[in-house]
Amino acid sequence: MTKILLIKMPISYFPSPKALKMLKENYSTRIAFQYGPPLALALIVGSLKHYLTCDFELTVKDLNTASIPEKKYLMEEYFEHIENVFKDNHDIVLISCQYMFNQSWVNYTADLAHKLNPNAKIIVGGGFSTIFPEKAVATPSVDYAVIGEGEVVIVHIINKILSITDSNFENKYPFDGYAEKLPNGESKIVEKKTFVADLENHPTPDWSWFPIDRIVGDKADGTFYGLPVMCTRGCPHNCSYCSTRSYWGRQFVYDPVVKVINEILSIYKQYGITKFHIIDDNPALNNKWFLNLCKSILELPEEIEIIFSNFSIKSINSEIIEALKNIRQEKITIAIETGSQEMQKTIKKHLNLENIIEKVKLIRKNGLKVHACWMIGFPNETLDQIKQTTRMAVDIQADSIQMWPVFPFPGTEMYREAKGQNLINLDENDFDTMRQHTPGKILSSEWDGELLSQIAYDTQVEANFLNNPAYDTESGRQDMRDYLKGLIIRLPDHPIISICLGYLEHILDKNEESRSSYYHKALGLLNSESSFFKKFLNWDFPQLKDFESWLSENSKIAR
């Protein structure tokens, strides 16, 4: 019996001195924690159970789930969780790590696994091993690294370790997309050439290992967004900043609609889960397929809630909007990225900004909310082009936005071109800062990372909290208050949230006790974080004016 351990790394900074220093000194690098069950593990489990022909015992651990009961999500806490995982011996250890900035957790875990299980074969997969497979297997404790989608390659690697020949499987799926450490210490890299194309006959994700009480019932985590469901793979677009093609390839393939619906229904009936998150970037790229999906969703039990992650704005039209309304969607997320038409061409996004403005109006006119994604600081981007983006981000009156400094991910076309122009300030061995909102990795004579962080954060504060269209209506103000009450749990040290809540309590219910409570909290936070947040008090918005008025009325407290 082969004992296999499959483990998911923390989606958290490794507590290195550099990461801790960055988080302490730059508030804009912090984000609110939001828990999502790991689809990668469910895909791998489904594939192992379907394709492995050997007798095996599988143990699956998601370290992020392990942290939910304590509601801490602290970096230091994960060390104990990792040590607990290795109390038992395993023959094969599979380490899944979605993001590059988590790679230090991979190295720590692989070293510990090798120390406690010196004969175990260790396989790593995820963002880092896809882009840097040779570096991944150069780690002393690692034997194999997976490149790109991994559920098929892992079966091949395990068969190789156990000297199993499975001709049917090998004929169906060529063995490529991996790195192997050879006996002489050198690396063998087999390029990723083939991707899963037949989703209809591909195993569905297996969630039988997952502690369902973490997302259903009294112990459920409040940030749970929905069980992830993936309907498509690949991307036909050529955006220069995106690394999707490295993971999923260029071909764009769909699961049959009936298979997607059956997957959702099966999980609902078996586990009682009612919230599902479709994580695809471009689910409506094929309008006919998507409209068929929406029609089928209407036939699901009414208590099932479906949330979509993203949409290509190019795919949005009146028919799609109507279909989304019919299945009770409340929000559409779109990635516009830049408000400069020239930069749209440069980054090969190729959106017509005038059309975007009209589509946002159309979406909101039909009662759906818009969440817009932006980036600033592309290679050779000017400050004027950045200002075009920040102006558009506020002016289109999206219901919420996110804006980050551009991070030049290795493996992308943008990275290669910028590196060729000596515009990259990135140490490829500095895993801890390889995250999308880490500033200062692209060089410019007009701006630096600190300025980009300030511009991006200020724009988000204005668009999300102070100059938001929700304040225009009574129902919008109610929704904003409900949203902020949830957000303040995840970002308790953000004084602008407290100020907005105090203002909303005042104008909605004339609740002076609650207003004062929030304003007291904001005042304490402003005194402790004065260097970062006090500048916002000089802005001309009603929420800040009301806080200023309260300070005048309570001058003794303010002092």
Side-chain angles (χ1 to χ4, degrees):
M1 177 77 72
T2 301
K3 290 188 175 183
I4 301 173
L5 170 66
L6 172 59
I7 181 172
K8 175 66 178 285
M9 292 295 94
I11 303 178
S12 163
Y13 283 105
F14 188 85
S16 67
K18 180 175 288 188
L20 294 173
K21 183 174 184 289
M22 179 181 68
L23 290 168
K24 180 179 180 180
E25 294 180 354
N26 190 345
Y27 191 95
S28 65
T29 60
R30 309 178 201 178
I31 60 172
F33 180 90
Q34 184 162 324
Y35 176 69
L39 179 61
L41 298 197
L43 286 167
I44 292 169
V45 172
S47 185
L48 293 180
K49 288 185 176 180
H50 189 80
Y51 289 123
L52 275 185
T53 58
C54 64
D55 290 329
F56 67 97
E57 177 184 307
L58 180 63
T59 301
V60 187
K61 296 290 183 181
D62 171 28
L63 294 175
N64 303 283
T65 306
S67 188
I68 287 178
E70 296 82 6
K71 305 286 184 181
K72 293 178 182 178
Y73 315 114
L74 299 177
M75 299 177 187
E76 296 81 2
E77 184 182 274
Y78 290 112
F79 290 108
E80 180 181 351
H81 292 315
I82 294 171
E83 290 172 4
N84 289 337
V85 166
F86 291 107
K87 286 183 177 179
D88 298 322
N89 291 327
H90 301 90
D91 301 305
I92 298 173
V93 177
L94 312 174
I95 302 176
S96 174
C97 178
Q98 184 172 0
Y99 300 113
M100 291 189 191
F101 80 97
N102 302 135
Q103 185 61 25
S104 290
W105 285 115
V106 175
N107 294 344
Y108 172 83
T109 304
D111 288 344
L112 182 64
H114 182 70
K115 177 182 178 181
L116 298 178
N117 296 263
N119 295 320
K121 293 295 183 180
I122 299 175
I123 308 168
V124 300
F128 187 83
S129 65
T130 295
I131 304 302
F132 299 116
E134 189 169 0
K135 290 184 179 182
V137 291
T139 303
S141 302
V142 173
D143 298 289
Y144 293 90
V146 174
I147 301 171
E149 58 184 8
E151 70 264 41
V152 167
V153 181
I154 285 172
V155 175
H156 277 298
I157 293 174
I158 292 175
N159 283 343
K160 182 173 184 177
I161 291 171
L162 300 178
S163 300
I164 294 173
T165 300
D166 186 343
S167 299
N168 290 333
F169 182 73
E170 291 168 6
N171 290 334
K172 185 174 184 178
Y173 296 114
F175 187 10
D176 61 21
Y178 70 98
E180 177 186 4
K181 183 179 293 175
L182 301 175
N184 62 4
E186 295 182 357
S187 301
K188 173 187 175 183
I189 311 295
V190 179
E191 182 184 350
K192 183 72 172 176
K193 294 181 179 180
T194 57
F195 297 86
V196 175
D198 180 14
L199 294 181
E200 182 175 4
N201 296 301
H202 198 59
T204 56
D206 186 315
W207 294 98
S208 60
W209 56 274
F210 187 77
I212 299 298
D213 63 340
R214 299 295 189 263
I215 56 176
V216 174
D218 296 337
K219 296 181 181 179
D221 184 75
T223 68
F224 172 61
Y225 197 65
L227 195 78
V229 175
M230 184 167 60
C231 307
T232 66
R233 298 195 186 193
C235 182
H237 299 309
N238 293 302
C239 304
S240 66
Y241 54 84
C242 183
S243 57
T244 293
R245 293 192 301 276
S246 299
Y247 300 95
W248 307 107
R250 279 294 308 273
Q251 66 176 347
F252 194 67
V253 294
Y254 291 84
D255 249 337
V257 167
V258 65
K259 186 183 176 188
V260 175
I261 296 300
N262 287 340
E263 179 183 338
I264 292 171
L265 268 177
S266 175
I267 293 169
Y268 165 73
K269 292 176 180 178
Q270 188 171 0
Y271 304 114
I273 295 173
T274 59
K275 293 177 68 176
F276 295 87
H277 179 200
I278 308 292
I279 64 170
D280 303 71
D281 286 335
N282 301 300
L285 192 65
N286 182 321
N287 275 199
K288 182 179 179 180
W289 180 92
F290 183 75
L291 291 171
N292 188 20
L293 175 65
C294 291
K295 182 180 178 181
S296 299
I297 288 173
L298 282 172
E299 299 173 3
L300 291 171
E302 190 172 345
E303 65 178 321
I304 292 180
E305 179 184 0
I306 307 292
I307 300 169
F308 287 90
S309 181
N310 298 294
F311 287 89
S312 169
I313 192 67
K314 296 177 182 178
S315 304
I316 298 296
N317 55 42
S318 297
E319 194 175 13
I320 295 294
I321 293 172
E322 187 64 27
L324 290 171
K325 287 171 62 179
N326 290 339
I327 61 172
R328 296 174 292 153
Q329 288 300 295
E330 297 180 353
K331 180 178 69 175
I332 292 179
T333 296
I334 55 175
I336 306 171
E337 312 304 13
T338 174
S340 161
Q341 195 63 66
E342 185 178 4
M343 289 307 301
Q344 283 285 339
K345 181 179 179 181
T346 299
I347 65 175
K348 298 184 178 180
K349 185 79 173 176
H350 297 303
L351 296 181
N352 183 307
L353 296 179
E354 290 185 4
N355 288 346
I356 298 304
I357 294 170
E358 293 305 312
K359 285 195 177 184
V360 170
K361 289 179 180 178
L362 179 65
I363 295 168
R364 300 196 71 245
K365 181 181 178 181
N366 279 274
L368 294 175
K369 295 181 179 179
V370 175
H371 178 76
C373 305
W374 306 89
M375 297 192 288
I376 57 174
F378 290 100
N380 299 308
E381 187 173 20
T382 66
L383 264 179
D384 183 64
Q385 290 169 328
I386 289 171
K387 289 176 183 177
Q388 292 175 39
T389 296
T390 57
R391 283 197 299 269
M392 186 174 180
V394 174
D395 290 347
I396 65 170
Q397 289 284 276
D399 297 274
S400 58
I401 74 163
Q402 65 188 54
M403 181 178 289
W404 303 115
V406 175
F407 185 90
F409 281 104
T412 63
E413 178 184 343
M414 184 186 72
Y415 178 83
R416 291 191 293 271
E417 291 181 354
K419 189 173 183 180
Q421 300 173 45
N422 295 319
L423 297 178
I424 296 296
N425 178 34
L426 176 65
D427 178 358
E428 293 183 353
N429 294 311
D430 182 11
F431 321 127
D432 297 335
T433 61
M434 288 189 182
R435 194 171 193 178
Q436 71 266 28
H437 54 275
T438 303
K441 301 305 179 182
I442 296 176
L443 301 175
S444 170
S445 60
E446 293 195 34
W447 41 260
D448 59 17
E450 183 178 355
L451 178 59
L452 290 182
S453 288
Q454 292 175 5
I455 293 172
Y457 202 81
D458 290 359
T459 305
Q460 291 180 97
V461 167
E462 178 177 354
N464 291 330
F465 302 137
L466 302 175
N467 189 12
N468 191 285
Y471 291 100
D472 295 340
T473 64
E474 179 77 9
S475 61
R477 292 189 286 271
Q478 294 278 5
D479 289 345
M480 175 63 82
R481 180 170 63 178
D482 292 343
Y483 166 70
L484 292 178
K485 283 185 176 180
L487 185 61
I488 201 170
I489 297 172
R490 296 154 57 202
L491 285 175
D493 55 350
H494 199 303
I496 303 302
I497 298 176
S498 292
I499 289 174
C500 290
L501 279 168
Y503 171 74
L504 288 166
E505 293 290 348
H506 177 55
I507 64 172
L508 285 171
D509 298 331
K510 305 299 180 185
N511 188 333
E512 292 306 308
E513 181 179 352
S514 185
R515 176 196 185 206
S516 291
S517 175
Y518 282 119
Y519 283 171
H520 272 295
K521 181 177 181 179
L523 181 62
L525 291 170
L526 286 165
N527 287 337
S528 62
E529 297 272 8
S530 58
S531 62
F532 189 87
F533 283 105
K534 261 193 172 176
K535 65 178 180 181
F536 296 115
L537 299 183
N538 297 319
W539 289 13
D540 187 18
F541 290 100
Q543 303 91 329
L544 302 173
K545 294 297 182 184
D546 189 65
F547 179 63
E548 186 178 313
S549 175
W550 179 85
L551 287 176
S552 298
E553 296 165 6
N554 299 272
S555 56
K556 291 183 180 180
I557 297 175
R559 286 196 296 268

